[in-house]
Amino acid sequence: MRVLALVDPSAGGPLEQLLHQLLPALQTPAGALAFIPLYAIWVTLLLPGVWASMLAGALYGTLWGSVLVFVGACLGAEAAFLLGRTLLRDWTRRRLAAVPKLQAVEQAVSREGLKLVLLTRLSPAFPFSLLNLAYGLSEVSLRDYTIGLIGILPGTILFCGLGALAGDVARFGAVLSGEADAGTWALRLTGVLATVAVVWVVGRSAQRALQGVTSSSESLSSPSVRSDGSFD
């Protein structure tokens, strides 16, 4: 199992030993199914999903890792959204008070709806977990919020691809010695680099579009002054 090569049980640490025992169980079909709710809980608790996504890539490969992470992330995002809209509404408002960028999104999304949800999901400038809570405070519909989760796919594939590549890096010595297929390893590396390029291009495009959306939203929310000094 290539992932076990990343964990050295002889290191003696409790975390290393725990991972060495847990990883084989996660690599079974039942473990793959269990990974989905585990990832959903991880997202609901506002923990960063990057490392969990890379672990999925190392465990299941880029394709199946991306599928499992996407399903788990969607479930966790829905839970965080509903909690932010109901039970944790006051706590969420206090938490976001320190993040003006997310407060601006909360205000603008009521006018832009699905378009803004999708753009913020595509842009790497917005933290996934806190964004779920911000949308819970907004007036965006659950339907638009759910459809907008499609925007996390490029990042999901990227981090799962990096995790899968990390598993291959653990076997790089075998590649150099001729014991493994260097062509396959190089092909996976090329795929990851191509994904990085796509995510970068999409992220920049989304960021430019977001700047236009927020600028127009600010102009709409700001009162205009007539020549006689009164406001519209």
Side-chain angles (χ1 to χ4, degrees), residues 3 5 24 26 51 57-58 87 97 116 132 146 156 182 184 202 206:
V3 181
L26 286 175
W51 299 113
L87 298 178
L116 187 63
N132 297 331
T146 302
T156 297
T184 300
V202 170

Side-chain angles (χ1 to χ4, degrees), residues 36-128:
I36 294 175
L38 288 174
Y39 194 97
I41 293 172
W42 187 272
V43 170
T44 305
L45 294 176
L46 307 183
L47 297 173
V50 173
W51 299 113
S53 299
M54 292 182 67
L55 175 61
L59 287 171
Y60 311 114
T62 303
L63 175 60
W64 285 110
S66 298
V67 171
L68 296 174
V69 166
F70 180 71
V71 175
C74 288
L75 292 176
E78 297 283 357
F81 173 83
L82 294 174
L83 286 172
R85 181 158 286 189
T86 55
L87 298 178
L88 299 181
R89 189 172 185 85
D90 293 337
W91 179 87
T92 300
R93 194 170 294 281
R94 292 194 300 270
R95 179 72 183 269
L96 295 183
V99 191
K101 180 169 57 177
L102 292 181
Q103 286 184 314
V105 169
E106 175 202 342
Q107 297 166 4
V109 75
S110 299
R111 284 185 290 269
E112 300 294 336
L114 177 59
K115 176 183 177 181
L116 187 63
V117 175
L118 189 58
L119 287 174
T120 51
R121 293 304 191 188
L122 289 170
S123 172
F126 296 91
F128 177 72

